[in-house]
Amino acid sequence: MPLPRPAADHPFQRTRQGVWAILATVALVAAGLFAGLAPASAATYTFKGVVKGKLTATATATALGDVWVGAYTNDDRADFVAGAWSAPDGSYSFTVPASGSYKMWTTCSSGPCSATYAPEWNSNQSSSYGSTPVAVTDAAPTTTYNPQLEAFGSMTGRVTNKAGQPLTAVSVSASPNNGGQVSSTKPDANGYFTLTKIPPNQAYISVRDESGQRLYLEQYWTGTGTVDTYTAATVPAGVAWTNVNFVLKDETLMEATVVDPAGAPIADVGYIPWVYNDATAAWEGPQMGPLTSNAQGKIYWRMTVGKKYKLCVSDTVYEGTPRDKRYKAECFDNTATKDTATVLTATAAGQRVKLTMQLDVAGLSLTPDRPYVYGSAQAGQKLTVDPGVWGPAPVTLAYQWQRSKDNAELQDIAGATTTVYTPTAADAGYDIWAKVTGTKTGYAPHTTSVHGGKSGAAAVTSSKPFTLLGTPSAGNTLTVDHGTLNPAPDFGPYYDWFVNGVQDYRTNGSTFLLQTSDAGKKVTVRLSVHDWPLQPYYGQASVTVAAGTLTAPVPTVTGTAKVGSVLTAVPGTWGPAPVTLAYQWFRSGVAVTGATAATYSLAAADLGKTMTVRVTGTKTGFTTAAKTSAATAAVAAGTLTAPVPTVTGTAKVGSVLTAVPGTWGPSPVTLAYQWYRSGVAISGATSATYPLAAADLGKTMTVQVTGTKTGFTTAAKTSAATAAVAVGTLTAPVPTVSGTVKVGSVLTAVPGAWGPAPVTLAYQWFRTGVAITGATSATYALTSADLGKTMTVRVSGTKAGFTTAAKTSAATAAVAVGTLTAPVPTVSGTVKVGSVLTAVPGAWGPAPVTLAYQWFRSGVAVTGATSATYSLAAADLGKTMTVRVTGSKTGFTTAAKTSVATAAVAAGTLTGPTPTVAGTATVGSTLTATPGTWGPAQVTLTYQWFRGSTAISGATAQTYKLVAADKGSAIKVRVTGTKTAYTALARYSAATALIG
């Protein structure tokens, strides 16, 4: 019930019928009739009294000002009739237009009053239903009605679970038992809550789980304690309950999760929880629906401990969020029917029986409409089903009329498979249904049924067939004609209008004003009238609104008909606006590909052709129209936009001149360049830039730019002449010198980048400002003559057409003494007495370097041993040898390097040949030993003669005289050589023949 407003803003209680209700009330007032009212005969009928409020059950009621007291019709609609605001003393008075019974509503305006006192209908009712009406009559045209408002109650307390944990995802609410405004709140983080505006008298005060997971059972306050059953509490006026603690119990339920093949949750899947009825031994489904999974794919269903349940799902509910796919029906656990489904049972209170159902894809999802059956279910009359608009088009629709009696299963009516069915006498007592099935390749089929009424039963009827009157074109009004409804409905009738299958909310009355937007569309009106226990009346009629005719003028073309110009189509004024216009340009009657804009740029292909444009107008509900312009003159060659070019750059040899052609058009234009030297074309100078050469010195320069484009006349423009070309200026950087400034190093002149390249460069080195004869290359090797001097280099650049330039580097530091390259020498040769050691000095530099040698015996210089070689003597035996090499060169620091020491010098090795024996091998002859040459000289030789292998005592001379003892033996001699610091060496001769 909307709150009334004070002063002039009096309340008119509105139902969903809105303005119709007000107009109906006015009509009833004019007739002097209301529901439950007798025709008026007294002049006025008045309600008056005093409004009071009661803060507590035991408090004394006090007068209340600024409280609305209103009279409303004594029917289910309770429409506003009249009312007034109470004065400060609580008094009020107002008149009603007729005698009769009225329902009375009392409510505070705003402020403290509305926060304190609950509104009420008479008899302390929270809604108009069940309130006791108050009457005014001709006999008693003034009735005193003293309403008494009672204060709201309040409650504070805490909500926890059985473990004592605070609950916050719950709501604490109070709702009047007879309907009306609900008061609610939520607990804080610790579970504490304060609930205000609890309606007095009877109210349901409850705590409900709002987590979305059905974790806890709801609980109710009785006024003295909490219970788990749906129980109303008596609420005394102004009661303040404190420390009310709700301890919620875990809910016993089935928690199923419906997922797709990938494991993602599926929302809005229909389900039926079957429960076994022990008394009937049958599985029964709920008397409600459709039931669907939530956004997380969850299904929650409360269970009774010990009861048997089965769960089946079917993806046939299309009212939720649209989905791309539909899924196959199944029962848990992966069975086709409930007969083979798994039985689920909760064995303890608070148990959550969890399961997952993974559904297979049945196909893509259709977008079905809600079918509508209209006509009469009486025998011999006609029922028609309108399936609505199904998509995505096209969808194949099949129809089957069915019937059932006393809630039995639907039975197909043989042969009734079109959109129309005429009931027969055999259908009497049956409810008639129309089943519509939509199919499409790749999509899951969908079937839906709609009730058409009970055949043979009394029904609401109309005196005429349901039709639409009026001309179906824009600007006209369609009017529903169905004659008189019998019985007349309590409400309405209200009409639902549709345009191309989409409900249109412009009106719910019996007339419909057609707009231009409706042209070419199907307009449908439906009427549903219910008056239980009679069967309802369903009517539908449709017309197609005629397509309108567009106002289509002949277009014209503006613009110059030559290549490069832009032609513009002037379509004229098409109507009724807005009209969508499309354009197509033609070249001598042939459509130009892609030329579909309102403007067209004439191209080379159009040269010599005539041009037209066709304008096509389209608008929903109107017939498409096309108009073509008159042809233009033949398209002429275009004229290029050809500015005079300019030349940028410095007019001197070596600079680059650039031709600036300006903006030629229409773009793109091919440009060619030719440079001129004092009016003479320069061979090969045909680019946009030109580097001035020596040949240009003293001449003026111009450039000619020539533009060409297909369909256009070629144009050429020449620039103004430059000034006479001046001598060029070389770019001459100051050179630098790199390298180490000391004798023996090489200095290098770094000239920098001279230009314009190529530039011929010459070099001259200076020693403290004095030119060095012959030092004219880019590098210079420092000599002893440069020691202590500073060095500079002058670089001179020359190029034809340019002024010669010379730049001198900054002076170096004074040239320092050079540093010789001094490697460590090595010693070669055999380290033993008598051998020769050789000093290997390595590569000293810069060459030539004078080298001196000194040999050392165990670190002591060997007197006179100053050559590159050294012969090891007896004095060296057992000693190590080193050599020091000293390098000297003018302008360089003398350097000395000593070799690594050799191994200790070993004893020498003598060389001795095999001796020979001369003489006659007979007793009495003398044999002589010939030792050969031993070395190194001098070697001391000793002899020993042998008879066979036995040394002959005393035979130690170089000669031996044969004695009788030698007869028959062979004689040989041993020669032994010795020398200081050498190893002794012995040699044996060959044996003689046997001594005779």
Side-chain angles (χ1 to χ4, degrees), residues 152-193:
F152 289 113
S154 66
M155 175 185 289
T156 62
R158 191 172 188 234
V159 184
T160 63
N161 60 18
K162 62 185 180 181
Q165 298 168 321
L167 299 181
T168 58
V170 297
S171 66
V172 185
S173 63
S175 59
N177 71 322
N178 200 27
Q181 189 169 350
V182 177
S183 174
S184 66
T185 188
K186 286 185 174 295
D188 64 17
N190 296 310
Y192 291 98
F193 69 90

Side-chain angles (χ1 to χ4, degrees), residues 34-416:
F34 281 88
L37 303 184
S41 60
T44 57
Y45 301 94
T46 304
F47 285 102
K48 68 176 183 177
V50 175
V51 182
K52 292 185 177 181
K54 196 171 184 181
L55 288 173
T56 66
T58 59
T60 301
T62 59
L64 296 177
D66 200 23
V67 174
W68 174 261
V69 182
Y72 298 80
T73 57
N74 184 27
D75 54 24
D76 289 344
R77 293 169 55 166
D79 287 327
F80 169 71
V81 178
W85 295 94
S86 65
D89 63 357
S91 63
Y92 74 92
S93 176
F94 62 86
T95 60
V96 292
S99 64
S101 296
Y102 295 87
K103 295 183 178 182
M104 307 295 288
W105 184 49
T106 308
T107 184
C108 291
S109 171
S110 59
C113 178
S114 64
T116 304
Y117 294 99
E120 68 171 40
W121 292 86
N122 44 309
S123 303
N124 290 328
Q125 295 298 312
S126 58
S127 73
S128 63
Y129 300 101
S131 67
T132 302
V134 180
V136 286
T137 65
D138 289 333
T142 299
T143 295
T144 299
Y145 171 64
N146 296 319
Q148 178 175 288
L149 299 182
E150 295 186 347
F152 289 113
S154 66
M155 175 185 289
T156 62
R158 191 172 188 234
V159 184
T160 63
N161 60 18
K162 62 185 180 181
Q165 298 168 321
L167 299 181
T168 58
V170 297
S171 66
V172 185
S173 63
S175 59
N177 71 322
N178 200 27
Q181 189 169 350
V182 177
S183 174
S184 66
T185 188
K186 286 185 174 295
D188 64 17
N190 296 310
Y192 291 98
F193 69 90
T194 297
L195 179 64
T196 60
K197 285 198 168 184
I198 300 175
N201 300 309
Q202 294 288 310
Y204 291 97
I205 304 170
S206 64
V207 177
R208 292 178 181 272
D209 177 11
E210 303 244 337
S211 66
Q213 302 176 56
R214 296 279 296 274
L215 300 174
Y216 303 100
L217 284 169
E218 62 270 18
Q219 203 168 82
Y220 295 87
W221 174 249
T222 65
T224 58
T226 58
V227 294
D228 296 332
T229 54
Y230 188 64
T231 304
T234 299
V235 183
V239 66
W241 286 303
T242 59
N243 298 319
V244 176
N245 294 320
F246 291 87
V247 180
L248 302 190
K249 299 175 182 177
D250 294 340
E251 186 166 6
T252 307
L253 55 69
M254 174 195 309
E255 178 184 335
T257 305
V258 185
V259 299
D260 64 15
I266 314 173
D268 301 315
V269 175
Y271 69 91
I272 298 177
W274 299 94
V275 61
Y276 187 71
N277 188 325
D278 295 309
T280 63
W283 289 93
E284 299 175 347
Q287 300 300 308
M288 63 179 75
L291 304 171
T292 60
S293 58
N294 66 16
Q296 290 74 43
K298 292 289 188 180
I299 293 173
Y300 297 106
W301 190 258
R302 184 172 294 172
M303 304 175 77
T304 300
V305 174
K307 280 278 190 181
K308 299 175 183 176
Y309 296 84
K310 292 182 178 182
L311 180 63
C312 297
V313 298
S314 178
D315 194 14
T316 56
V317 178
Y318 285 72
E319 283 75 17
T321 303
R323 275 196 269 113
D324 292 337
K325 297 186 178 96
R326 289 284 152 179
Y327 298 88
K328 294 180 181 178
E330 71 172 54
C331 297
F332 184 79
D333 183 15
N334 198 27
T335 64
T337 67
K338 77 173 186 297
D339 295 337
T340 55
T342 299
V343 174
L344 304 168
T345 302
T347 57
Q351 180 182 357
R352 295 176 80 85
V353 178
K354 294 187 176 183
L355 54 123
T356 299
M357 300 182 72
Q358 188 170 55
L359 306 185
D360 294 327
V361 175
L364 297 174
S365 178
L366 295 172
T367 52
D369 206 345
R370 293 184 177 181
Y372 181 79
V373 171
Y374 58 95
S376 174
Q378 305 308 314
Q381 299 193 43
K382 184 173 69 173
L383 290 175
T384 302
V385 60
D386 181 349
V389 180
W390 292 53
V395 177
T396 301
L397 298 178
Y399 304 91
Q400 176 64 61
W401 292 89
Q402 299 176 304
R403 68 183 188 180
S404 68
K405 182 184 288 186
D406 300 328
N407 296 320
E409 276 193 32
L410 291 171
Q411 300 173 344
D412 291 347
I413 300 173

